Amino acid sequence: MKKLLLTLCVMAATMAATAEELTISVPEMEPKLTYGEPMGYRPELSLNMMNANVNATAEADASALLSTTAAARKNTRWEWMYTKPGVKPYKFMDDMTFVGLPLFAAGLAIKGDKAMFRVNDKANGKKNAQLLSDFKTKIDDYTQYFGPAMVVGLKLGGVEGRSSWGRLLASAGMSYAIMAGLVNGIKYTAKEMRPDGSTANSWPSGHTATSFVGATLLHKEYGLTRSPWFSVAGYGVATATGVMRVLNNRHWVSDVMSGAGIGIVSGELGYALCDLIFKGRGLLRNDLEINNEKPSFFSISMGVGLGNKSIEFAGSDLQDKEFYGPNVDDDGADLIKFRAATVVDAEGAYFFNKYIGVGGRLRVRAMSAKSFGSYADIAGYMGALAWLNMTDAYERYASSIYGENGATFDFDEYLRRLGCDNGLNVVDPSIAPCTNMTGIVKSDHLAEFTGSVGLYFNLPLGKRFSLGSKLLIGRSITQELDIDGYAEGYVKDIEYEATIRNGELALGTDGKPMAQIGYPHNTADNEKYTDQWDFVTLGADNSTSWGTGLSLTYRYKSNFSWRIYIDYDYTSKNYMLTYDPFHFLKFGLTHSAQAIASMTENAAYLMLPMTYKKKKEMHFFTAGLSFLVNL
C-alpha cells in the first residue's frame, strides 16, 4: 500500500511538472503556429504591431501633407507678399551707395558749357542761314525701358529674383515716383533750353533718368541675386541711352550726367523705403557672395572730358597755298572750340594678387563743337551772292570802265540786280543767285575711339576701400566732324567779249578792258540749280595714345563696386580741316560767268576747296564714375 501511494505521488508530481512546461512553451511556439492570426496571447506583441500601423499611417499623412504644402507653396509664389524661408531681411538704407550724387553734381558743374548754335535757326528769323542736325534716331525712346522690361520678362519666365510681385511693384513704383518728382521739379524750375531750341525743359534728361532707374531695378532684382552680368547689361544700355540723347541734339552733356545721377539715387532710395516699410516680407533670394580677394574686375563708365577744348588753324597751315593766290592771310587764325566731352568706357583687368594685374580699356570720347569759328559762318557767305564784287580785280576793272565814261561803279545797283539789299539779304528770290543756303550738321562731334592695354595697380585701404592706378598704351582712331552745305537758286550768266593776246585769253576788246561785261542776270529759261556738298570737315589721322589715372573704389558688395576716377590721356595728332564755302558757284554760274572768275587771280581760289593741316599735342583729362563687377 505504501508503495502504491508513493507511485501515485511521483506520477502526480510528474504530471504537474509536465503541465507547467506545456503552459510555458505554448506561447513561445504561438508566433510560429498562428502567424497572421489575431494575437490574443501576447498583448505586448499586438501593441507593437498597432504602433507600427500608426507610424505608417502618420508617415503617409505627413507625405501627403508635404506634397500638399509643396503644391500650395508653388501656388503661393504668385501671392503678393510671399516670403521664402531663410531669406535675410534688409535694413533701411542697407544698400544705399549715394554714387548718383557726384554724377548729378558733375552735370550741374558743366551746365553752363553749351553748344554754339540752336539747330533750327528759322525760329530766330534767319531764313537763309541755318545749321540743321542730320543725326536722328528713336532707339533711345525704347532703350529707356530696357531695365523694367527685362525684370518683368524674367519674372514671368519663372526666374526668381530678389522680391515677390508685391514687393517688386512697390519698390519699382516708389523708385519711379521719386525720379519723376525730382526730374520734373527741376526741369520746370531751371527752364533750360534744349540744344535744338524746341522747349525749355532740357536739364536734367528724363530719358536718361528713366533708363538708370530701370537699370538699378534690374541690378537690385537679378544682378545682386542671380548674376552680375544682368547689372552690366542694365547700366550699359542706360549709358548708351544717355549718349544717344546728346547725339540726337535733344540734350546737353550736363543734362545726361544729372539725369543718370537722379536715376541711380531714385532707384536706391525707392528700395530703401520699401525695406523700411515691408521689412522681411516679400523677399525670395539673398545676395550672392564671392570670396575672391583679388580685385579683378569688369566695368562700364561714364565721364566728363576736360583738357584741350580748341584747335586753331591759320593761313600758314593751308596746304598748296600757291593755288589760292595772294588773298590768303598767312597770319590770320581761327579757332574751332569744343565743349566738355562725353566719355564712355568699357574696362577690365585680371589681377595676379592684391596689388598688380594686366588689363585693357575701350574708350569713346565725343567732343561737341562749341564754335566753328568763321568756317561755318554761313550767313556771312551770303556775300558770295555778290561774288564778282568780292574780288579786287573786278571792282578795279568795273571802276575803270565807268570812269572812262565819266561814271562810277554803282554797287547798290549791282546788288539790286542780284536780288539782294545792302545787307546781302535776298529780297527778290526770282532773280537771286542763291535763294536758300543751309548748313546740315552731319556730325558736330569730333569722336575718338581708343583701345589700350597695360598694367593695373591696387592699394587696399581696408575691407571696402582701395586706391588704384594704371599705365596704358593704345591706338586712337578719330571720326570726323562734318557739316554739309546746301544751296539752291537761279543760274546766273554774264555776257562779255574777249581777245586773245599773245596766245592767252583776255577779257574785253583791244583798248577797252572788260568794256563789254554786263551785270549778272538769269539765264533765258530761268534755269534753277541745287547743290549739296562737304562744307566743312575736320578729322585726324590715327595715332598712339598714352594713359594713366587715379581712382578710389568702394566695394559695397562682395561682387560689386563703385569707383570714382580721374584719367589723363596724351596723344599727338595731325588734324585736317577741309573748307569749301563756295562750291555752289560751280552750279550757280554759267560757263561764261565761271570763265570770268577763273581769269581773275583773286577770285579763282573761290572755286577750290581749302585744306588745312596742323600737328597738335592733345592732353585730355576725364573725371567720371564706374560701375564694377568683381570677378
mmCIF file of all heavy atoms in Angstrom, residues 44 58 96 191 268 561:
data_model
loop_
_atom_site.group_PDB
_atom_site.id
_atom_site.type_symbol
_atom_site.label_atom_id
_atom_site.label_comp_id
_atom_site.label_asym_id
_atom_site.label_seq_id
_atom_site.Cartn_x
_atom_site.Cartn_y
_atom_site.Cartn_z
ATOM 1 N N GLU A 44 1.463 42.413 -25.617
ATOM 2 C CA GLU A 44 2.540 43.351 -25.928
ATOM 3 C C GLU A 44 2.947 43.275 -27.390
ATOM 4 O O GLU A 44 3.352 44.249 -27.999
ATOM 5 C CB GLU A 44 3.744 43.107 -25.033
ATOM 6 C CG GLU A 44 4.429 41.751 -25.208
ATOM 7 C CD GLU A 44 3.770 40.672 -24.371
ATOM 8 O OE1 GLU A 44 2.640 40.962 -23.886
ATOM 9 O OE2 GLU A 44 4.352 39.624 -24.172
ATOM 10 N N ALA A 58 0.937 57.677 -40.043
ATOM 11 C CA ALA A 58 1.447 59.041 -39.818
ATOM 12 C C ALA A 58 2.411 59.454 -40.927
ATOM 13 O O ALA A 58 2.386 60.592 -41.410
ATOM 14 C CB ALA A 58 2.126 59.120 -38.455
ATOM 15 N N MET A 96 22.208 101.615 -49.877
ATOM 16 C CA MET A 96 22.396 102.959 -50.412
ATOM 17 C C MET A 96 23.894 103.246 -50.593
ATOM 18 O O MET A 96 24.678 103.085 -49.662
ATOM 19 C CB MET A 96 21.783 104.002 -49.491
ATOM 20 C CG MET A 96 20.268 104.079 -49.561
ATOM 21 S SD MET A 96 19.631 104.710 -51.139
ATOM 22 C CE MET A 96 20.178 106.403 -51.078
ATOM 23 N N LYS A 191 14.204 125.574 -66.299
ATOM 24 C CA LYS A 191 13.779 126.051 -67.625
ATOM 25 C C LYS A 191 14.957 126.195 -68.580
ATOM 26 O O LYS A 191 15.155 127.224 -69.216
ATOM 27 C CB LYS A 191 13.024 127.378 -67.503
ATOM 28 C CG LYS A 191 11.726 127.273 -66.707
ATOM 29 C CD LYS A 191 10.991 128.584 -66.643
ATOM 30 C CE LYS A 191 9.686 128.446 -65.867
ATOM 31 N NZ LYS A 191 8.945 129.725 -65.776
ATOM 32 N N GLU A 268 17.826 103.535 -55.724
ATOM 33 C CA GLU A 268 18.325 103.095 -54.417
ATOM 34 C C GLU A 268 17.407 103.561 -53.287
ATOM 35 O O GLU A 268 17.133 102.809 -52.340
ATOM 36 C CB GLU A 268 19.739 103.619 -54.197
ATOM 37 C CG GLU A 268 20.775 102.974 -55.114
ATOM 38 C CD GLU A 268 22.185 103.403 -54.767
ATOM 39 O OE1 GLU A 268 22.340 104.435 -54.081
ATOM 40 O OE2 GLU A 268 23.122 102.712 -55.167
ATOM 41 N N SER A 561 31.183 96.933 -57.060
ATOM 42 C CA SER A 561 31.866 98.118 -56.539
ATOM 43 C C SER A 561 31.462 99.335 -57.362
ATOM 44 O O SER A 561 31.036 99.223 -58.512
ATOM 45 C CB SER A 561 33.392 97.961 -56.608
ATOM 46 O OG SER A 561 33.841 96.860 -55.849
#
